[in-house]
Amino acid sequence: MSSTETAPGEAVPQANSRGRVIVASLIGTTIEFYDFYVYATAAVLVFPKLFFPNADSATQLLSSFAIFGVAFIARPVGSILFGHFGDKVGRKGTLVASLLTMGIATFLIGCLPTAQVPGWTFWAPAMLVLLRFAQGLALGGEWSGAALLATENAPKNKRAIYGTFPQMGAPIGFIIANGLFLYLNLTLTTEQFSSWGWRLPFLASAIMVIVGLYVRLKLVETPAFQKVIDDGEVSKLPIGRVFKTSWRPLILGTFIMLATYVLFYLMTTFTLTFGTAPDTLEKARAAAEKAGKPMSQSAIDAFVPGLGYGRNDFLIMLIVGVVFFGIFTLVAGPLAEKYGRRKTLLWVTAAIFLFGFTFVPFFAGGTVGVLALLIVGFTLMGLTFGPMGALLPELFPTNVRYTGSAVSYNMSSILGAAVAPFIAVALWQSAGGSPVLVGVYLSSMAVLTLIALFIMKETKDENLTANVK
């Protein structure tokens, strides 16, 4: 009897097909990132006025970004919560729970009254904070589970390639979310969009959640975790065990992701803010008066110029850039498989370091320069983000892999993504409207990532099944 045959009456172990693994890991992260980006776009375009109507324009934007950052505080909490169950109960059920949490929170944001409704001046932003926290909680557990689903089911020498499947959720989710906002901006009047149109992308997420749940409920447990169960190696308290046995990979993983996070949120949130901000004080005054809120003297004194693009025009350029993000995320998988995760990321991070010093000439180059900056930035984003789907899980033993990869991924989100838009706006304002310090900030974060990459060992040949501590 061959090794592939089974004795009569012996149960044939179930396995996830390649197609099911690809779809389940991709669709889940697409939905999660779609939901996340819908909020990020609304945080720039409509939430400042809808949820903070009594503040001046600068305070409105900063308040909206502050709530944007709440999700990143929630993400490490989500990584511990979902990581615990992912390493104790299994990958499948945890992935279903994270998807439901994100879907329900996003749908409810679309149902919220705004602060312009009498009696909701306080409660509207308070509820927005709560639901934004729930979004962050869900995303804190989603990415790691999807990455493990892909890599723990991957054939030999294909982990980095399979690891790009969940990573593709980021560009696809971004394109769907911003494409929908763009369509609504083009088909609705400003009054319609501000009144009810902004709600549609949030409500539409329910359709995708139903599809995602259907796919994920058909999954079986990954072979790596099933072996942990069979061997009786399930950790009683994964978070305690990962800090005891794998504290070094936790720190390294956090800083390995740092430049990736900062780059992404500069390319999306900051560029949208900088690109659509009025380029002259006169235009800023005219926009404020049109909105019925003339600029105060303090707002006039604090004014810093942006690029002055229309929202729709800049969203189109962003979507073009994100297409390159998606393409080079896929390209990164074979590169990391051929040359190794460490070597690939060392070269890409060095390029990110140099890229930070090109912000001023790119932004000064008109539409061609801005589009070139977005294309180059998102290309680098794809090349650095793609290998992370394999690298971070490979850093940790199987019985704490969900918790370890989730905690490092999401701790990096606090150090990088949570504060990146806030820091970038402050640096832009302190430089009198120049993006020079924003570029220096990115280069500085790339240096920290380079140090972590120099310290780490190559993980390409790690055995994900026979790796328990």
Side-chain angles (χ1 to χ4, degrees):
M1 182 181 293
S2 71
S3 60
T4 58
E5 294 176 332
T6 56
E10 182 179 341
V12 178
Q14 290 183 295
N16 295 306
S17 67
R18 180 175 64 178
R20 187 175 294 172
V21 170
I22 293 172
V23 173
S25 60
L26 175 60
I27 195 169
T29 52
T30 297
I31 293 168
E32 298 273 359
F33 280 108
Y34 165 86
D35 291 351
F36 216 68
Y37 298 150
V38 161
Y39 182 93
T41 303
V44 175
L45 299 182
V46 292
F47 281 179
K49 294 179 181 178
L50 293 178
F51 288 91
F52 308 99
N54 298 322
D56 59 49
S57 58
T59 304
Q60 285 178 341
L61 183 60
L62 290 174
S63 298
S64 184
F65 275 161
I67 295 182
F68 179 78
V70 164
F72 293 98
I73 298 172
R75 284 172 68 163
V77 179
S79 69
I80 295 171
L81 175 65
F82 288 105
H84 174 84
F85 290 104
D87 283 325
K88 195 171 179 65
V89 178
R91 310 334 189 190
K92 174 187 172 179
T94 307
L95 280 168
V96 170
S98 68
L99 185 61
L100 270 175
T101 303
M102 175 65 89
I104 292 171
T106 304
F107 183 83
L108 290 178
I109 289 176
C111 300
L112 269 183
T114 70
Q116 297 172 338
V117 176
W120 282 86
T121 304
F122 169 79
W123 289 110
M127 290 298 296
L128 186 62
V129 169
L130 179 62
L131 293 173
R132 182 62 177 163
F133 186 88
Q135 279 191 318
L137 204 69
L139 192 55
E142 166 61 29
W143 177 87
S144 184
L148 267 58
L149 172 65
T151 56
E152 290 185 348
N153 281 290
K156 187 178 180 180
N157 298 323
K158 293 287 182 69
R159 281 206 304 262
I161 295 173
Y162 269 57
T164 61
F165 300 151
Q167 306 302 74
M168 283 297 295
I172 293 174
F174 184 95
I175 290 172
I176 295 174
N178 286 280
L180 183 53
F181 266 111
L182 179 62
Y183 172 77
L184 293 173
N185 268 324
L186 292 173
T187 56
L188 300 178
T189 65
T190 302
E191 291 73 21
Q192 288 173 326
F193 184 76
S194 296
S195 176
W196 54 267
W198 65 270
R199 299 180 183 276
L200 298 181
F202 292 92
L203 300 176
S205 69
I207 300 172
M208 293 191 290
V209 168
I210 292 171
V211 175
L213 287 174
Y214 173 78
V215 174
R216 286 192 168 176
L217 286 170
K218 288 181 172 293
L219 293 171
V220 296
E221 196 52 76
T222 68
F225 187 73
Q226 188 60 51
K227 188 174 186 301
V228 170
I229 296 174
D230 296 341
D231 293 346
E233 294 286 353
V234 175
S235 177
K236 293 182 179 179
L237 186 63
I239 187 63
R241 192 158 182 173
V242 77
F243 273 101
K244 181 179 179 180
T245 64
S246 303
W247 59 270
R248 191 172 183 271
L250 277 176
I251 296 172
L252 287 177
T254 298
F255 283 95
I256 286 168
M257 275 295 302
L258 187 60
T260 303
Y261 263 123
V262 174
L263 174 63
F264 180 70
Y265 283 93
L266 291 185
M267 287 296 97
T268 53
T269 307
F270 171 72
T271 59
L272 181 59
T273 303
F274 181 56
T276 58
D279 53 354
T280 65
L281 179 57
E282 290 72 23
K283 291 181 181 179
R285 279 176 161 171
E289 289 175 1
K290 184 178 179 181
K293 293 194 67 176
M295 294 178 69
S296 64
Q297 186 58 48
S298 61
I300 293 174
D301 294 338
F303 171 77
V304 290
L307 297 179
Y309 285 95
R311 292 173 180 173
N312 293 343
D313 293 336
F314 204 86
L315 278 175
I316 291 172
M317 288 194 288
L318 271 177
I319 291 171
V320 170
V322 173
V323 169
F324 285 83
F325 177 15
I327 291 171
F328 282 91
T329 295
L330 292 177
V331 169
L335 289 176
E337 205 63 73
K338 181 177 181 180
Y339 299 108
R341 290 62 157 142
R342 181 175 178 270
K343 184 180 292 185
T344 300
L345 287 170
L346 278 170
W347 282 105
V348 176
T349 308
I352 293 172
F353 170 79
L354 296 175
F355 175 64
F357 296 102
T358 67
F359 272 36
V360 171
F362 270 134
F363 276 125
T367 300
V368 173
V370 173
L371 188 57
L373 177 135
L374 293 173
I375 289 173
V376 173
F378 278 116
T379 295
L380 291 172
M381 181 61 208
L383 291 172
T384 185
F385 192 55
M388 297 298 177
L391 171 60
L392 291 187
E394 289 169 349
L395 288 172
F396 298 94
T398 310
N399 57 340
V400 293
R401 184 171 295 136
Y402 202 127
T403 301
S405 56
V407 169
S408 59
Y409 181 84
N410 290 292
M411 283 302 296
S412 187
S413 77
I414 288 185
L415 298 178
V419 297
F422 220 56
I423 291 176
V425 169
L427 292 174
W428 162 43
Q429 292 176 339
S430 66
S434 170
V436 59
L437 295 180
V438 179
V440 172
Y441 167 52
L442 173 61
S443 297
S444 301
M445 298 302 101
V447 170
L448 296 178
T449 292
L450 282 170
I451 293 171
L453 288 168
F454 274 117
I455 294 173
M456 72 164 280
K457 296 179 181 179
E458 179 56 57
T459 61
K460 177 182 177 182
D461 297 322
E462 285 289 333
N463 187 333
L464 295 194
T465 303
N467 183 5
V468 174
K469 288 184 180 178

